Amino acid sequence: GSTLGLELAQRLEPTTWLAFTARERAEHASAKDSALRGGSAELLAASMRVRFRNVALEVGRTQLSWAQSPDEGLFIAADAPALDLVSLSADRPFGLPGFLRWLGPTKATLFVADLGPSAVRSDSKLLGYKVSIQPSRRAEFGASFLNHYGGEGGRPSSLGNRLIDFLPFIDIFRRHNYTDTTRTLDVDSDKLLGVDGRLRIGGLRGVVVTGELLIDDFD
């Protein structure tokens, strides 16, 4: 038999601060075996991006990559499916105030995504944020936090507990309760802390060293 695939991409920028993007794919297969015949269509990505000064808000289905090179990433890589999310990020690297300026150009991103239907904890959520600094032209370092929570069958929790759960530098000092039903139960979540970096050794023909470390269930 034979297969035919078509992928389309569009980008519309009506103003300097507003942009729309979309990407679709359609496939059709014809074969002697009737069970293999048929077609499908999929919306791979579709999002709206609004920029105000150096702050960008993006809503829709879009692809994230938090690795130091396109073919890497322990958790969020360029070859992963797009996420249905709302994200807030710096449009361009910015300088930190005061004595923190020596850290160099800084980038920051915050997002909340709906992971959709699944066999376990359907419609769970993923919250993540990352800050990256570039103290020199040869080096870049990043720190990230990811929180997978909620979904069908998850325990209810107060807004205060939920907010603390999103702040690892506070939550890590809290004594957690997952089993004693006579007291308030903690939020059902899986937390990950990560660091990554890139270092260029030598000139344009030098060596680039990248790495990433991800800690799961650190609490």
Side-chain angles (χ1 to χ4, degrees), residues 33-69:
D33 186 348
S34 59
L36 301 177
R37 298 173 192 165
S40 63
E42 183 179 4
L43 181 65
L44 300 177
S47 66
M48 176 185 70
R49 191 172 190 269
V50 181
R51 180 176 59 85
F52 177 72
R53 294 183 179 179
N54 196 32
V55 179
L57 172 67
E58 188 165 11
V59 181
R61 179 172 297 175
T62 188
Q63 199 162 19
L64 293 180
S65 177
W66 279 6
Q68 287 290 352
S69 64

Side-chain angles (χ1 to χ4, degrees), residues 28-203:
H28 181 75
S30 60
K32 292 182 179 180
D33 186 348
S34 59
L36 301 177
R37 298 173 192 165
S40 63
E42 183 179 4
L43 181 65
L44 300 177
S47 66
M48 176 185 70
R49 191 172 190 269
V50 181
R51 180 176 59 85
F52 177 72
R53 294 183 179 179
N54 196 32
V55 179
L57 172 67
E58 188 165 11
V59 181
R61 179 172 297 175
T62 188
Q63 199 162 19
L64 293 180
S65 177
W66 279 6
Q68 287 290 352
S69 64
D71 55 347
E72 295 177 356
L74 291 177
F75 196 79
I76 298 183
D79 58 350
L83 295 173
D84 295 330
L85 57 77
V86 177
S87 74
L88 196 66
S89 63
D91 189 50
R92 300 177 304 277
F94 57 91
L96 295 172
F99 69 94
L100 296 176
R101 187 170 295 275
W102 68 271
L103 294 174
T106 303
K107 296 180 292 183
T109 302
L110 165 69
F111 77 89
V112 179
D114 188 321
L115 300 185
S118 61
V120 179
R121 294 294 173 90
S122 188
D123 293 313
S124 59
K125 307 296 187 292
L126 179 67
L127 177 140
Y129 46 85
K130 180 177 183 180
V131 177
S132 299
I133 59 172
Q134 191 174 3
S136 74
R137 297 180 61 184
R138 296 178 179 271
E140 179 177 328
F141 304 99
S144 59
F145 170 75
L146 294 162
N147 190 316
H148 182 207
Y149 67 97
E152 185 178 339
R155 297 170 179 169
S157 180
S158 66
L159 178 61
N161 266 353
R162 186 77 70 188
L163 290 176
I164 293 175
D165 201 50
F166 295 156
L167 303 173
F169 40 84
I170 297 177
D171 181 72
I172 197 171
F173 297 106
R174 183 173 63 166
R175 184 175 181 179
H176 295 84
N177 170 35
Y178 298 121
T179 58
D180 186 358
T181 57
T182 62
R183 297 189 295 119
T184 302
L185 297 176
D186 283 354
V187 180
D188 273 337
S189 65
D190 181 23
K191 305 183 193 68
L192 301 94
L193 278 179
V195 292
D196 58 74
R198 184 177 72 247
L199 179 64
R200 179 182 292 276
I201 304 173

